[in-house]
Amino acid sequence: MAESSSSGLTFKLHPLVILNISDHFTRVRSQLQHPTLSNGGEPCPPPRVYGCVIGVQKGRTVEIFNSFELLYDSATDSLDRAFLEKKQELYKKVFPNFYILGWYSTGTDAQESDMQIHKALMDINESPIYVLLHPSINHAQKDLPVSIFENELHVIDGLPQLTFVRSSYTIETVEAERISVDHVAHLKPADGGSAATQLAAHLTGIHSAIKMLNSRVKVLLQYLSSMQKGEIPCENSLLREVSSLLRRLPAIESGKFQDDFLMEYNDTILVTYLAMLTNCSSEVSLNLSFLGEWTYSLLGCCS
């Protein structure tokens, strides 16, 4: 069922699609609180997620740029078509050049039941593609746990049947995606710590850099003041370097810079206020809970 494709199409997969599918699977699994073992002690299969992949096709090259989630009806083993059409309409307004290329799911390999969903999408795309993500982690595997399948018509037992065939693909990135992937990679705790710990270390490094810059500016200011008062000899070469440095400052003195700076400043203060309100709400909740327990115990003693 997973033979090699002979269509000759070239598939280019963008990292955003992989991140979207991984995020979709992680959220669904955490929300469902899926047990690791069944009642009989057997490992339970992880939940499956479904969605559509969108992009463009130019000639024999298919480039998958993005994806969006879909609702799966387990009673009928089909996708919610009303939800699909609504999402398609919304994405068409934002990305008018993107088309639905196929769908995605999670699992170890393509299954027989997947062909029903695949056939149901043929009214949107005559030859949809199927992107499958293997959610299990295999540290020994060097390749990405992602497979792309096409459908081909094969004669099996004298009857023509559609089957999934595996296709090769390459990872294609643009500058914005490279920056995003690098940012996500740096957010991942490498030493067992949390992302908050890494953020605190990052802010501490920025604070130290600002303190060092401030101390060096003070040294330079004291040196120039002493040179102006005649306490130390005047050095023209140093003055030229200082003048060249100061001439760069007006480059950031603009109305747009001030607006952007004030916006970032206000956002930072807003986040700080929200954090304070959250802490206050948490303290109030704890105090109310403690007061309720104390009152209950007091009433119990009185009775």
Side-chain angles (χ1 to χ4, degrees):
M1 190 174 181
E3 303 172 3
S4 179
S5 174
S6 59
S7 65
L9 293 177
T10 301
F11 292 96
K12 295 182 179 180
L13 182 65
H14 285 254
L16 181 59
V17 180
I18 304 176
L19 293 177
N20 286 343
I21 301 175
S22 301
D23 175 70
H24 188 189
F25 172 79
T26 303
R27 284 187 287 105
V28 170
R29 185 169 187 176
S30 61
Q31 291 170 3
L32 294 178
Q33 297 181 352
H34 200 78
T36 56
L37 295 177
S38 62
N39 296 331
E42 295 292 333
C44 290
R48 301 190 68 187
V49 296
Y50 302 88
C52 274
V53 292
I54 59 176
V56 295
Q57 180 174 356
K58 297 180 180 179
R60 308 297 295 175
T61 301
V62 179
E63 194 164 359
I64 309 171
F65 282 95
N66 206 339
S67 65
F68 59 86
E69 303 172 12
L70 291 178
L71 298 179
Y72 180 74
D73 189 358
S74 57
T76 59
D77 291 333
S78 61
L79 299 176
D80 190 337
R81 289 304 297 260
F83 184 80
L84 168 59
E85 293 173 358
K86 182 179 179 181
K87 294 286 288 186
Q88 182 183 8
E89 181 181 356
L90 293 175
Y91 264 82
K92 199 64 179 177
K93 294 179 180 179
V94 182
F95 305 102
N97 298 325
F98 287 0
Y99 298 92
I100 293 182
L101 301 175
W103 63 293
Y104 72 77
S105 182
T106 54
T108 57
D109 200 356
Q111 303 178 10
E112 294 289 344
S113 58
D114 294 340
M115 185 56 69
Q116 298 179 4
I117 301 176
H118 197 79
K119 292 179 180 179
L121 294 176
M122 286 185 174
D123 59 339
I124 300 177
N125 191 313
E126 294 181 358
S127 182
I129 61 175
Y130 178 25
V131 180
L132 182 67
L133 173 68
H134 195 327
S136 301
I137 300 177
N138 186 3
H139 297 284
Q141 183 178 359
K142 296 182 180 180
D143 298 332
L144 290 173
V146 178
S147 301
I148 295 181
F149 295 95
E150 299 179 74
N151 60 272
E152 288 186 357
L153 189 62
H154 291 179
V155 177
I156 301 177
D157 296 332
L159 298 175
Q161 297 182 12
L162 283 177
T163 58
F164 287 121
V165 290
R166 194 183 304 271
S167 301
S168 59
Y169 65 92
T170 57
I171 299 296
E172 186 77 12
T173 60
V174 295
E175 185 65 25
E177 289 179 322
R178 285 194 289 268
I179 295 174
S180 302
V181 172
D182 182 71
H183 179 69
V184 172
H186 282 82
L187 283 179
K188 181 181 178 181
D191 53 353
S194 62
T197 304
Q198 290 193 341
L199 177 61
H202 176 66
L203 295 178
T204 302
I206 294 178
H207 182 262
S208 301
I210 294 176
K211 287 180 59 178
M212 181 176 295
L213 177 62
N214 185 42
S215 63
R216 293 185 178 183
V217 170
K218 285 184 177 180
V219 171
L220 183 59
L221 181 60
Q222 293 175 359
Y223 183 81
L224 293 176
S225 299
S226 301
M227 187 182 298
Q228 185 180 18
K229 295 177 182 179
E231 298 176 359
I232 56 176
C234 180
E235 295 186 10
N236 294 327
S237 60
L238 179 60
L239 290 176
R240 283 194 295 270
E241 292 181 4
V242 174
S243 178
S244 176
L245 179 63
L246 293 177
R247 276 196 294 268
R248 303 178 186 175
L249 296 179
I252 61 174
E253 291 294 335
S254 63
K256 186 178 184 304
F257 172 78
Q258 293 296 334
D259 293 341
D260 293 344
F261 176 77
L262 290 177
M263 184 178 295
E264 292 288 340
Y265 179 73
N266 292 333
D267 290 344
T268 304
I269 293 180
L270 179 60
V271 172
T272 304
Y273 288 161
L274 288 175
M276 293 175 61
L277 289 174
T278 302
N279 291 332
C280 291
S281 300
S282 178
E283 291 294 334
V284 169
S285 300
L286 290 176
N287 291 333
L288 290 177
S289 177
F290 176 76
L291 181 61
E293 293 178 359
W294 181 79
T295 305
Y296 180 78
S297 60
L298 182 62
L299 293 175
C301 293
C302 293
S303 61

